[in-house]
Amino acid sequence: GDSVTQMEGPVTLSEEAFLTINCTYTATGYPSLFWYVQYPGEGLQLLLKATKADDKGSNKGFEATYRKETTSFHLEKGSVQVSDSAVYFCALKAAGNKLTFGGGTRVLVKP
Amino acid sequence: EPEVTQTPSHQVTQMGQEVILRCVPISNHLYFYWYRQILGQKVEFLVSFYNNEISEKSEIFDDQFSVERPDGSNFTLKIRSTKLEDSAMYFCASSNAGTDRTDTQYFGPGTRLTVL
């Protein structure tokens, strides 16, 4: 079945540091890939998505590139802020209705 | 910007009691979903709903669970007889295009269910 694996946290960074969160997947078929973010006390918000190989999703300074050859969709941001502290979820959608999520990575950015 | 809303934000219940979790999806969306996240575990798909019927469900979604769209705006998840292991955060989501693999699901803030 479909699965998503992402690096375990927590990831602790200083402000303006570079952030990478690794995400790899296995899927039957050709999935779309998503990153969702959950800020403290809030629900899941779509951060970005990519629907085909070599597509780059981007939003709020975050980027992720759909790499079919390595089945990966790593999330990056060049200079994090304290407000980026959150839990980040990688997810895929292949056939059918459901999203399949990774375990989430907690990121803590310190001033 | 339209958003999915959920009530209550936190529900505490006794084991064996029935609970109903409520969601108001985005108004022009046609597909509705429930997911849950047990503390420290992954977000898991429970069920999807389209055109007044279940379109897909996971093995978690057994006879204790049911969903309903009682009117034009609400979407509910009912757990008939709660167990301790039903304690989790329950997320409602909605979308436009269902089985299209590019479809984006929009999530509500969640209801934290605690079963004592």
Side-chain angles (χ1 to χ4, degrees):
Chain A
D2 300 342
S3 67
V4 177
T5 302
Q6 58 182 108
M7 58 190 290
E8 290 190 20
V11 174
T12 304
L13 303 164
S14 297
E15 215 165 15
E16 298 183 4
F18 186 87
L19 170 67
T20 300
I21 304 175
N22 289 339
C23 171
T24 57
Y25 67 90
T26 59
T28 51
Y30 192 358
S32 290
L33 302 172
F34 303 81
W35 278 100
Y36 282 84
V37 59
Q38 185 177 31
Y39 298 104
E42 298 184 18
L44 297 167
Q45 300 177 22
L46 177 69
L47 183 58
L48 52 84
K49 75 177 195 181
T51 59
K52 60 183 190 294
D54 301 324
D55 263 3
K56 178 186 285 187
S58 61
N59 186 24
K60 300 182 181 180
F62 289 89
E63 293 182 342
T65 301
Y66 189 142
R67 299 288 188 202
K68 193 164 184 232
E69 64 277 11
T70 54
T71 61
S72 65
F73 192 54
H74 304 321
L75 183 69
E76 297 181 335
K77 186 174 185 183
S79 176
V80 293
Q81 305 300 312
V82 171
S83 57
D84 294 323
S85 298
V87 181
Y88 294 82
F89 293 90
C90 186
L92 70 82
K93 188 174 189 293
N97 296 284
K98 68 177 185 181
L99 282 167
T100 300
F101 285 87
T105 302
R106 183 175 300 278
V107 172
L108 178 61
V109 181
K110 296 186 173 179
Chain B
E1 186 176 321
E3 57 182 23
V4 177
T5 59
Q6 291 185 242
T7 54
S9 57
H10 191 189
Q11 173 104 37
V12 181
T13 189
Q14 296 291 323
M15 192 169 54
Q17 295 297 304
E18 174 183 286
V19 294
I20 297 176
L21 310 183
R22 291 183 167 79
C23 168
V24 179
I26 293 172
S27 63
N28 63 343
H29 284 180
L30 301 176
Y31 296 82
F32 315 116
Y33 313 85
W34 285 100
Y35 291 79
R36 78 173 185 191
Q37 185 182 27
I38 295 172
L39 189 64
Q41 299 186 23
K42 292 187 177 186
V43 177
E44 303 171 290
F45 170 79
L46 293 178
V47 66
S48 61
F49 191 85
Y50 169 71
N51 199 25
N52 280 320
E53 59 183 31
I54 291 173
S55 50
E56 186 176 350
K57 61 181 181 178
S58 72
E59 54 194 32
I60 302 168
F61 193 87
D62 62 20
D63 292 344
Q64 292 297 312
F65 293 91
S66 62
V67 290
E68 190 179 28
R69 187 152 164 85
D71 54 44
S73 58
N74 290 284
F75 179 52
T76 61
L77 174 70
K78 181 193 290 187
I79 309 175
R80 286 190 183 80
S81 178
T82 50
K83 308 184 190 71
L84 295 176
E85 54 265 37
D86 294 327
S87 294
M89 180 72 88
Y90 288 81
F91 293 107
C92 175
S94 69
S95 73
N96 268 326
T99 54
D100 183 334
R101 67 173 187 83
T102 68
D103 182 47
T104 297
Q105 296 179 15
Y106 295 88
F107 284 77
T111 293
R112 180 164 298 285
L113 176 65
T114 302
V115 182
L116 303 176

